[in-house]
Amino acid sequence: MSQYHYSSLSLGPDCIRLLRLMPHKNESTERTEIQCELFEYSLHNPGKGTHLYEALSYTWGGSDKPRSISIDKQNLDVTENLHAALLRLRDRSLERVLWIDAICINQENLKEQGQQVRLMAKIYSKATRVLVWLGETAENSDTALERMRIAADNGSPDSLDDKTIQQAILALLQRPWFQRIWVLQEVAAARHILIMCGSTGIDGYAFCLGVNCFYEARRDLESSTRSITYLIRGATFRPKHAMSWPGRASLDIRPLGELIDMFHTHEATKPVDKVYALLGMSSDDPSTAGLLPDYEVPWEKLFKDLVKFLLYKQVYVKTWGDEERAVIKGKGCILGQVLSVESDDRHKVNIIFKNMSEHLGCKREWHPLWTLQASVKHIREGDILCILQGAPKPMIIRPCKDYFTIVRIAAFPESKLTKSGDIEWSKLLRSITVFPHDFLLIWNWDSSLEKLQDLGEYEAMIRTNNWMLEHSETELGSHLDKATRTWNVAMIFDDLEEYEKA
């Protein structure tokens, strides 16, 4: 049998392919041939809510494709995990219409990839249901899902007290699906979600309730799935349509900078997908900055364009190849310092503002409580709130010898008013016109480094310092020598009245 050959899409900008999974009367086994058809379909129908297809959310499970399916009597190679999902999804009597990225997008055509990725928020929001495939049954996963369903129904963690059940739930929540960045948009866009593991299924909202009950029973554990359950739970209440920007669709959940702060340590096969996977949830329009999905753009350029979009076009940015780190240099102003942090689903950050009496119309020091959405990097006491010249939002940074690391690139309170109740934060920030300090910043997306920071500040600092040393004599040394960098940091601490550190 010959290999499947894709034809070009022809029905317009909202055109996609859908997969028709043909029924099989007998029980599905690994040796049973999976027969399918592909057909074009247009999502362009302004008055229509859902369309009669289901969208699959899953992990590829690697680049190897040892299995094959039959499409229009031709072979198409697929991954082991996708093959297993199709066997579970196939009905004995009825055809099933699905959207699956690995099949419905021609993965050999980079231009088509970019065009289809721009539609993914719309694809998942228009589906009647999103099917989350966690993989085959293993380590008592079926029992774990059933106990979670019972806990959700009772509103109590009592059914999860057994240690064996808790281990099964932990194993389930550590499956690769929960770590992938693309699944965030897929569940955020969904109208209805079914979580599947082997032959067992559970409603998405019930799954979230069950996860919450589990962490009530095990308060000693930090939720590793908070970002996923936040989006699944929120999907129930969000408007079930994607906003249309030129050339793309978006769910309009949060600004891009906040989404990146929250999710950049999630995994992706290609670094560019750590940006493209979040565009469909962004309330910004990044098209003017050249951030629309384009798989012919190298990561080094995309990362630089992203920084300039989040901060301002004239900021100095240096990136290297496929590394998920950037050096940023710019003029800025110190706003204040973190006094304390309370963390749960959100971060409640107590900040002491300094040198802002003329803007605040009050005493020199002021201690507002900012509520920020939880992110992958933990804010700590002593972190610094600053704003770069031209940037729309402040950032939170952390001193590290003669430079600073970025903890949050977009820090903005959920409440709008200052203490006096008559000034909006955005207006207050726009009133700042003096930017006396030179900042040398490192923005590092390395998730392993963040784990090291949790385990030991010293080890994390050593790793970052080694990387800085590697590049200091070439790039960093060209515009700031070590003595100048040290002096700039000392002046910043002096502004904060941290005389001992200065």
Side-chain angles (χ1 to χ4, degrees), residues 125-229:
S125 67
K126 293 291 186 181
T128 55
R129 183 167 61 173
V130 170
L131 306 169
V132 173
W133 171 251
L134 299 181
E136 280 296 351
T137 304
E139 300 178 281
N140 294 320
S141 57
D142 50 350
T143 306
L145 284 176
E146 178 58 22
R147 290 294 186 93
M148 290 170 73
R149 187 195 63 76
I150 293 171
D153 189 39
N154 296 335
S156 166
D158 293 346
S159 62
L160 309 177
D161 284 343
D162 184 85
K163 187 170 288 188
T164 303
I165 295 300
Q166 292 180 2
Q167 290 174 346
I169 294 174
L170 267 179
L172 185 71
L173 298 180
Q174 289 169 357
R175 292 201 178 200
W177 183 87
F178 293 98
Q179 307 304 322
R180 304 297 291 179
I181 198 160
W182 274 112
V183 306
L184 300 169
Q185 176 184 252
E186 293 163 6
V187 296
R191 292 171 179 265
H192 177 60
I193 296 171
L194 179 67
I195 311 280
M196 298 177 60
C197 188
S199 60
T200 307
I202 181 174
D203 174 79
Y205 191 73
F207 177 81
C208 291
L209 296 178
V211 169
N212 291 343
C213 288
F214 170 67
Y215 284 111
E216 280 183 36
R218 291 294 305 271
R219 294 182 182 274
D220 56 314
L221 298 173
E222 183 179 350
S223 173
S224 59
T225 59
R226 182 177 291 157
S227 58
I228 300 283
T229 53

Side-chain angles (χ1 to χ4, degrees), residues 154-447:
N154 296 335
S156 166
D158 293 346
S159 62
L160 309 177
D161 284 343
D162 184 85
K163 187 170 288 188
T164 303
I165 295 300
Q166 292 180 2
Q167 290 174 346
I169 294 174
L170 267 179
L172 185 71
L173 298 180
Q174 289 169 357
R175 292 201 178 200
W177 183 87
F178 293 98
Q179 307 304 322
R180 304 297 291 179
I181 198 160
W182 274 112
V183 306
L184 300 169
Q185 176 184 252
E186 293 163 6
V187 296
R191 292 171 179 265
H192 177 60
I193 296 171
L194 179 67
I195 311 280
M196 298 177 60
C197 188
S199 60
T200 307
I202 181 174
D203 174 79
Y205 191 73
F207 177 81
C208 291
L209 296 178
V211 169
N212 291 343
C213 288
F214 170 67
Y215 284 111
E216 280 183 36
R218 291 294 305 271
R219 294 182 182 274
D220 56 314
L221 298 173
E222 183 179 350
S223 173
S224 59
T225 59
R226 182 177 291 157
S227 58
I228 300 283
T229 53
Y230 160 77
L231 291 170
I232 294 175
R233 191 171 60 245
T236 307
F237 306 104
R238 289 190 196 103
K240 296 305 176 185
H241 62 275
M243 290 183 62
S244 291
W245 296 98
R248 73 184 186 100
S250 176
L251 301 169
D252 194 31
I253 292 174
R254 283 186 175 273
L256 183 58
E258 292 182 31
L259 291 170
I260 287 173
D261 279 330
M262 294 167 68
F263 302 128
H264 69 255
T265 57
H266 279 256
E267 296 172 1
T269 304
K270 301 174 182 177
V272 294
D273 281 333
K274 290 199 172 188
V275 178
Y276 295 158
L278 299 178
L279 294 180
M281 297 190 291
S282 171
S283 56
D284 298 322
D285 178 13
S287 59
T288 55
L291 297 180
L292 291 181
D294 183 346
Y295 286 90
E296 296 178 317
V297 174
W299 166 246
E300 185 175 353
K301 180 181 185 307
L302 179 66
F303 198 12
K304 185 179 292 187
D305 290 343
L306 172 69
V307 173
K308 289 177 177 286
F309 174 75
L310 296 178
L311 299 179
Y312 63 105
K313 287 183 180 180
Q314 285 71 39
V315 72
Y316 173 90
V317 187
K318 178 62 183 176
T319 55
W320 286 268
D322 287 337
E323 291 195 48
E324 295 178 12
R325 315 183 201 191
V327 171
I328 303 166
K329 179 178 176 287
K331 302 287 286 186
C333 170
I334 293 293
L335 301 179
Q337 194 167 23
V338 175
L339 284 179
S340 62
V341 184
E342 296 177 20
S343 296
D344 44 38
D345 283 345
R346 287 177 169 77
H347 288 161
K348 294 180 176 64
V349 184
N350 190 6
I351 299 172
I352 178 171
F353 276 79
K354 295 176 179 273
N355 304 320
M356 294 192 65
S357 55
E358 60 182 288
H359 305 291
L360 294 168
C362 62
K363 58 186 179 181
R364 188 171 185 271
E365 291 189 356
W366 179 49
H367 301 207
L369 190 67
W370 276 21
T371 300
L372 305 172
Q373 185 62 44
S375 67
V376 292
K377 291 185 178 178
H378 300 301
I379 302 169
R380 299 179 189 165
E381 180 182 342
D383 287 347
I384 297 168
L385 184 72
C386 70
I387 187 167
L388 294 191
Q389 185 175 10
K393 293 181 179 179
M395 65 172 67
I396 295 175
I397 60 176
R398 182 172 300 150
C400 192
K401 291 195 174 180
D402 56 352
Y403 58 93
F404 295 87
T405 59
I406 295 175
V407 179
R408 298 283 291 261
I409 197 143
F412 204 69
E414 295 188 351
S415 55
K416 291 184 178 179
L417 303 179
T418 63
K419 186 177 181 180
S420 59
D422 57 358
I423 303 175
E424 291 188 3
W425 282 111
S426 56
K427 184 177 179 181
L428 184 152
L429 295 170
R430 285 197 302 270
S431 70
I432 299 171
T433 56
V434 179
F435 301 90
H437 298 297
D438 290 304
F439 285 89
L440 182 63
L441 306 163
I442 303 296
W443 195 20
N444 185 6
W445 289 16
D446 188 348
S447 59

Side-chain angles (χ1 to χ4, degrees), residues 66-77:
R67 298 284 187 172
S68 66
I69 62 174
S70 173
I71 298 182
D72 301 325
K73 299 182 179 179
Q74 294 177 302
N75 275 344
L76 180 71
D77 296 332

Side-chain angles (χ1 to χ4, degrees), residues 12-32:
D14 283 342
C15 180
I16 62 173
R17 296 185 189 90
L18 290 176
L19 180 75
R20 185 179 288 114
L21 180 60
M22 307 308 289
H24 191 270
K25 291 182 180 180
N26 300 321
E27 185 175 352
S28 292
T29 66
E30 290 191 7
R31 295 181 179 179
T32 308

